[in-house]
Amino acid sequence: MYRRIYQTLCLIAFLAFGCNPKNETVDDNAAIVLETEEDWSQDDQEPEETETVGELEQSLIDAGLVDVKDIIPGVFVDLKYSSSDNFFGQDVYGDLYNCYLQTEVAEMLKKAYEHLQKYHPELTFLIYDGVRPLRVQQILWDNLDKPDSIKPLYVADPKIGGLHNYGVAVDLTLAWADSGEALDLGTAYDYFGYPAYPDREDQMLKEGKITQAHIDNRKILREAMKAGGFTGIGSEWWHFNAFSRKKAAELYGLVH
């Protein structure tokens, strides 16, 4: 069709210019701009979009870690330290919005996800944090308003490094697979108090601080993570480790 239009326009141009008996100059406003079929094809092409990787994210990629969603597309990610929705109200990850873990740990999390899908296909994981570079760990340590003797219950001492700093720990909750909306597990993420303690659930239930439904949801999360080879801790229902500190240090280096 474009070729036929082109031929027609050429004929019109010939009649307008070649058949002018007085060889008069044709007004510029009457000139017809001719485009070839190839020109139109180029104009129709949309510019390619390029995704920019930030400095922090590139450093994680260079360290050999993997984006969890590349391994498990069905999970949701909401990095709390890439926002002010955390215990000290500061964004310390900047433009990092993807969760990174060691490859082996991401594969373990995939097994946990498959277990969850088998028994609760309506649910998925909502990930709050994965690898945490030591430079960020220092900020969290400095801003935690607790005595130094208690701080290690919530944040690993950056002088030593914790499992998040090796990329072998993950913070997460349950969410509805169709919407990504988090289930209610009794407390917010990074809640510092007994209602968030798995070790205190019976006591908190008796005191009315959490409900049986909260405990049931936590058990679903724990069972799935256990199936993937993870272990929890006594003070945070959302935190799970793939390895011990000793094993992590043997396998990987601290992520700076």
Side-chain angles (χ1 to χ4, degrees), residues 155-166:
V155 177
D157 188 338
K159 293 185 179 66
I160 302 171
L163 294 178
H164 275 295
N165 309 134
Y166 286 99

Side-chain angles (χ1 to χ4, degrees), residues 76-252:
F76 291 91
V77 175
D78 177 20
L79 296 185
K80 291 300 186 181
Y81 300 123
S82 288
S83 72
S84 59
D85 184 19
N86 50 57
F87 73 88
F88 63 105
Q90 294 182 35
D91 179 349
V92 291
Y93 281 166
D95 57 3
L96 176 67
Y97 300 105
N98 298 313
C99 175
Y100 282 81
L101 292 169
Q102 300 290 351
T103 302
E104 184 178 356
V105 180
E107 292 292 344
M108 292 170 62
L109 188 59
K110 183 179 180 180
K111 290 182 181 179
Y113 171 78
E114 290 170 346
H115 176 92
L116 181 65
Q117 287 289 289
K118 180 179 179 179
Y119 294 100
H120 301 277
E122 75 282 5
L123 300 178
T124 186
F125 293 137
L126 172 59
I127 301 175
Y128 290 142
D129 199 22
V131 66
R132 188 185 303 157
L134 279 175
R135 59 187 126 160
V136 175
Q137 192 74 21
Q138 187 68 56
I139 296 173
L140 301 187
W141 178 267
D142 293 341
N143 282 272
L144 181 58
D145 187 19
K146 297 283 185 181
D148 284 357
S149 59
I150 298 178
K151 280 185 179 184
L153 288 174
Y154 307 100
V155 177
D157 188 338
K159 293 185 179 66
I160 302 171
L163 294 178
H164 275 295
N165 309 134
Y166 286 99
V168 300
V170 60
D171 294 343
L172 75 174
T173 188
L174 298 174
W176 298 110
D178 59 350
S179 66
E181 180 182 358
L183 274 64
D184 186 357
L185 272 68
T187 73
Y189 173 67
D190 267 359
Y191 178 87
F192 299 130
Y194 286 159
Y197 282 39
D199 288 352
R200 298 273 185 159
E201 285 175 352
D202 290 341
Q203 176 189 345
M204 293 296 99
L205 179 63
K206 291 178 181 178
E207 295 181 8
K209 301 294 179 61
I210 60 175
T211 68
Q212 186 61 49
H214 296 147
I215 296 176
D216 292 343
N217 286 339
R218 293 181 187 185
K219 285 181 178 178
I220 293 173
L221 178 61
R222 287 197 288 262
E223 287 170 1
M225 296 303 286
K226 181 179 179 181
F230 291 86
T231 57
I233 61 175
S235 57
E236 299 174 350
W237 57 258
W238 55 82
H239 179 99
F240 294 89
N241 298 322
F243 304 113
S244 66
R245 186 190 302 272
K246 179 181 178 181
K247 185 69 173 178
E250 292 174 356
L251 294 173
Y252 311 107

